[in-house]
């Protein structure tokens, strides 16, 4: 498996999400003679010494595209390892921009509808940016259903009503026949809410229900090619760089990495922390959710370390309504 780059050279880069009146997003093509020539990227460039990210982005967009802009909120900050350097890509939304966009450095430009962004070949650091723009920032992992299936389904409905749009159905201690019936009912509710739903560990059940599959880390060694049709989400739980590389090679759409913090389910086991998460994040170009003692309030922190967002059981599973 490829190893993490050990270079201490870190290149700070800023990029902007520039939208036109039709909601299309601007990509620029890297010119010949540059690293990764021919690939499409979000426009921007390197920060100069002592320059703030906002000032750097305003300068770069003026120099490259001839526009003036007002920089808005942070979208994601992606650490990415390359053969000769470690890059950190700080991506910002633009509040406003003025001027006529043109490639002042001879670069090709493309205004792309958001749902077509994934079709463009991009450098590794830019690929998680597309996911951050288009995919959910929260990933609910369901708890065991306990003795009351109706109460479990009611809690799932409340989670969907609260806006959860990516769900992993997981209940490893539940009897297979009971779980098949419960998962079937859960999938129907997720589809009604237009949520992306994945079954944990059971490729046969996922295929029979026509939904995505979330692989356990140990299952990554079982297949040499993607065991799921394209168009259905496939993900994996990973704990180290080798597992992340295996998930990427298998064609997973995203991964889950942790535990970031200590959790009640693993008493006495320290989490990897955000620095540990970022070190794994830079090994691959997959979108990655952070997991382990996290909740919705941690999404911004997770994004600042390159995460797609946060995965959680307790953090997202609704409490039982008061009697």
């Amino acid at each position: 498996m490829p190893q993490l780059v050990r270079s201490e050279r870190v290149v700070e880069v800023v990029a902007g999400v520039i939208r036109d009146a039709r909601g299309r997003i601007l990509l620029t093509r890297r010119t010949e003679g540059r690293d990764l020539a021919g690939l499409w990227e979000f426009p921007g460039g390197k920060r100069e010494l002592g320059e703030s990210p906002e000032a750097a982005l305003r300068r770069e967009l003026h120099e490259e595209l001839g526009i003036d802009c007002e920089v808005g909120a942070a979208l994601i900050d992606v650490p990415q390892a390359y053969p000769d350097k470690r890059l950190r890509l700080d991506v910002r939304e633009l509040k406003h921009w003025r001027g006529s966009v043109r490639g002042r450095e001879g670069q090709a430009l493309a205004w792309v509808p958001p749902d077509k962004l994934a079709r463009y070949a991009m450098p590794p650091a830019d690929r998680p940016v597309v996911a951050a723009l288009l995919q959910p920032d929260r990933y609910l992992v369901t708890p065991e259903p306990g003795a009351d299936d109706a109460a479990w389904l009611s809690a799932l409905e409340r989670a969907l009503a609260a806006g959860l749009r990516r769900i992993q159905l997981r209940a490893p201690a539940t009897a297979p026949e009971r779980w098949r019936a419960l998962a079937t009912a859960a999938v129907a509710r997720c589809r009604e809410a237009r949520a992306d739903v994945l079954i944990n560990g059971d490729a046969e059940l996922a295929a029979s229900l026509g939904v995505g599959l979330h692989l356990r880390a140990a299952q990554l060694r079982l297949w040499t090619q993607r065991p799921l049709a394209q168009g259905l989400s496939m993900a994996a739980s990973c704990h180290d760089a080798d597992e992340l590389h295996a998930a990427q090679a298998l064609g997973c759409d995203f991964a889950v990495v942790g535990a970031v913090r200590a959790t009640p389910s693993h008493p006495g086991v320290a989490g990897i922390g955000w620095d540990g998460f970022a070190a794994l994040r830079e090994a691959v170009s997959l979108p990655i959710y952070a997991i382990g003692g996290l909740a919705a309030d941690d999404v911004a922190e997770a994004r600042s370390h390159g995460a797609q967002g946060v995965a959680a059981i307790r953090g997202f599973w609704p409490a039982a309504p008061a009697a």
Side-chain angles (χ1 to χ4, degrees):
M1 289 290 181
Q3 297 298 310
L4 283 173
V5 169
R6 299 303 179 189
S7 171
E8 293 304 313
R9 180 186 172 217
V10 179
V11 178
E12 300 282 347
V13 176
V14 288
V17 179
I18 304 173
R19 305 175 194 269
D20 69 3
R22 295 165 55 184
R24 299 178 302 176
I25 293 173
L26 182 67
L27 297 180
T28 61
R29 197 171 193 178
R30 296 180 68 83
T31 53
E32 292 300 322
R34 300 176 65 193
D35 291 344
L36 306 172
L39 298 183
W40 294 88
E41 63 185 359
F42 295 89
K46 296 178 184 177
R47 285 175 58 186
E48 295 180 352
L49 186 63
E51 193 174 33
S52 72
E54 295 81 3
L57 186 55
R58 288 193 296 268
R59 174 183 54 76
E60 286 286 347
L61 295 183
H62 182 77
E63 292 173 358
E64 290 188 8
L65 302 173
I67 63 172
D68 297 312
C69 68
E70 183 180 352
V71 179
L75 176 66
I76 190 171
D77 197 343
V78 183
Q80 186 69 50
Y82 288 94
D84 60 339
K85 61 180 178 288
R86 295 168 61 206
L87 180 143
R88 196 161 190 103
L89 178 62
D90 181 351
V91 183
R92 305 296 182 98
E93 296 273 5
L94 296 192
K95 289 183 179 179
H96 308 287
W97 60 273
R98 299 175 300 280
S100 298
V101 173
R102 61 192 187 280
R104 300 179 73 180
E105 299 176 348
Q107 71 274 39
L109 309 177
W111 288 101
V112 183
D115 62 345
K116 303 292 194 300
L117 286 170
R119 300 181 182 181
Y120 285 72
M122 294 183 176
D126 289 76
R127 294 172 193 155
V129 181
V130 175
L133 285 167
L134 301 180
Q135 298 179 27
D137 61 9
R138 294 171 293 161
Y139 184 29
L140 167 64
V141 184
T142 61
E144 290 286 348
D148 190 338
D149 289 359
W152 187 89
L153 287 170
S154 177
L156 176 61
E157 290 171 354
R158 295 197 302 278
L160 293 167
L164 273 296
R165 289 297 177 266
R166 179 164 271 168
I167 312 292
Q168 180 190 152
L169 300 178
R170 180 181 180 275
T174 302
E177 289 306 312
R178 179 190 174 201
W179 177 236
R180 177 176 287 272
L182 193 53
T184 300
V187 166
R189 287 159 172 79
C190 290
R191 283 182 170 148
E192 185 176 352
R194 300 183 180 276
D196 185 27
V197 57
L198 298 86
I199 297 287
N200 176 273
D202 191 333
E204 181 182 352
L205 180 57
S208 69
L209 294 176
V211 298
L213 174 65
H214 187 105
L215 298 172
R216 305 178 190 112
Q219 292 178 302
L220 289 168
R221 299 188 296 270
L222 301 181
W223 288 285
T224 57
Q225 59 184 10
R226 183 184 172 101
L228 197 68
Q230 294 292 337
L232 296 174
S233 294
M234 191 170 80
S237 294
C238 299
H239 307 91
D240 57 37
D242 285 345
E243 290 174 355
L244 280 167
H245 285 297
Q248 184 164 272
L250 193 58
C252 287
D253 299 294
F254 63 92
V256 173
V257 166
V260 172
R261 297 176 182 150
T263 64
S265 58
H266 297 84
V269 178
I272 62 174
W274 285 117
D275 288 345
F277 177 88
L280 292 173
R281 152 75 280 167
E282 69 179 12
V284 293
S285 61
L286 283 173
I288 302 175
Y289 289 90
I291 195 169
L294 305 174
D297 289 347
D298 297 299
V299 168
E301 179 76 3
R303 287 254 171 127
S304 75
H305 290 86
Q308 167 68 19
V310 167
I313 302 175
R314 295 175 185 83
F316 295 148
W317 191 250

